[in-house]
Amino acid sequence: MMYDLPALIRRTTRITFFFLSLGCIGLAIWPDYKPYFGGFMIGTIGSLLGSFHLAWKTTRIADLAVTGRKSRSGFGYLSRAAIGVLAAVVSVQVLHFNLAATAAGILASPLVTLLLGLFTIRRLKDGQSNDERGEK
Amino acid sequence: MDLNTYGYVAAGIVFGLGALGAGIGNGLIFSKTVEGISRQPELRGTLTATAFIGVGLVEAMPIISLVLAFMWAK
């Protein structure tokens, strides 16, 4: 079965790296727009780190649900919010990039995850294969 | 109150309401996920992936609101 979390994370990482490479290319071609491309890249890196953290937390909560152990761990929202704020502060205060571009970058990884999830659900409904090896 | 004070109040309201929505949304998503995994442990992969998608979307907006609130309130 391919509709699982590690596969989703791998694909999200791949597509987010694609966005990062687009930002690098834009930075190289249009140096005048450095605040926008740079802010977008910093935000994208922050959102990717947040996605990794969220995947770790989700796996941990699923483990706890399966084993039936009781734990007082939270969902890690504060940590992810701190990652976002850190990305924004580094981008705007330290590197003097654009704030709106940074916010757009922070939104990149969740949007990629949403689109991948919707495509995967549609493919599974159609009964098509969902990975390169023909497995479902 | 001067304009800066209004800015701080607005930033607090923005982040507070965003965090409230995220808290309610996360709680609903994870409670249903844990309930589903407890009932059918073999569906764990599907349920965690669905929860990941949902929580990622729910949390994107409050994080952005937090960033904007910090920047506007400076």
Side-chain angles (χ1 to χ4, degrees), chain A residues 12-131:
Chain A
T12 305
T13 309
R14 215 179 292 161
I15 296 177
T16 310
F17 278 162
F18 173 70
F19 280 123
L20 276 176
S21 66
L22 280 185
C24 285
I25 291 172
L27 206 60
I29 294 177
W30 297 288
D32 293 341
Y33 293 100
K34 182 180 173 184
Y36 300 99
F37 287 114
F40 179 75
M41 286 167 64
I42 297 284
T44 307
I45 291 170
S47 78
L48 188 62
L49 290 177
S51 291
F52 286 148
H53 184 265
L54 177 61
W56 173 64
K57 277 284 179 184
T58 310
T59 310
R60 196 153 169 264
I61 289 171
D63 284 341
L64 289 175
V66 168
T67 55
R69 280 186 289 126
K70 288 184 179 173
S71 171
R72 289 186 64 84
S73 77
F75 303 140
Y77 169 70
L78 270 183
S79 307
R80 288 190 291 281
I83 290 173
V85 171
L86 182 68
V89 168
V90 167
S91 174
V92 176
Q93 304 276 1
V94 179
L95 299 172
H96 304 292
F97 290 152
N98 186 268
L99 175 62
T102 309
I106 289 174
L107 199 58
S109 189
L111 271 182
V112 169
T113 309
L114 172 73
L115 292 177
L116 278 178
L118 290 179
F119 283 135
T120 308
I121 289 170
R122 179 174 283 183
R123 276 186 198 169
L124 285 178
K125 273 186 182 169
D126 293 343
Q128 294 173 359
S129 166
N130 196 29
D131 76 350

Side-chain angles (χ1 to χ4, degrees), chain B residues 6 8 28 40 46:
Chain B
Y6 282 123
Y8 287 125
L28 288 174
Q40 288 180 294
T46 309

Side-chain angles (χ1 to χ4, degrees), chain B residues 1-61:
Chain B
M1 283 200 294
D2 60 343
L3 274 180
N4 279 338
T5 314
Y6 282 123
Y8 287 125
V9 172
I13 291 173
V14 164
F15 178 58
L17 290 181
L20 182 72
I24 294 172
N26 276 350
L28 288 174
I29 290 171
F30 275 118
S31 72
K32 294 296 176 190
T33 304
V34 169
E35 194 181 316
I37 292 174
S38 306
R39 284 173 193 257
Q40 288 180 294
E42 68 272 12
L43 284 181
R44 181 188 154 171
T46 309
L47 290 172
T48 49
T50 310
F52 176 75
I53 294 168
V55 173
L57 276 174
V58 163
E59 281 192 356
M61 276 301 143

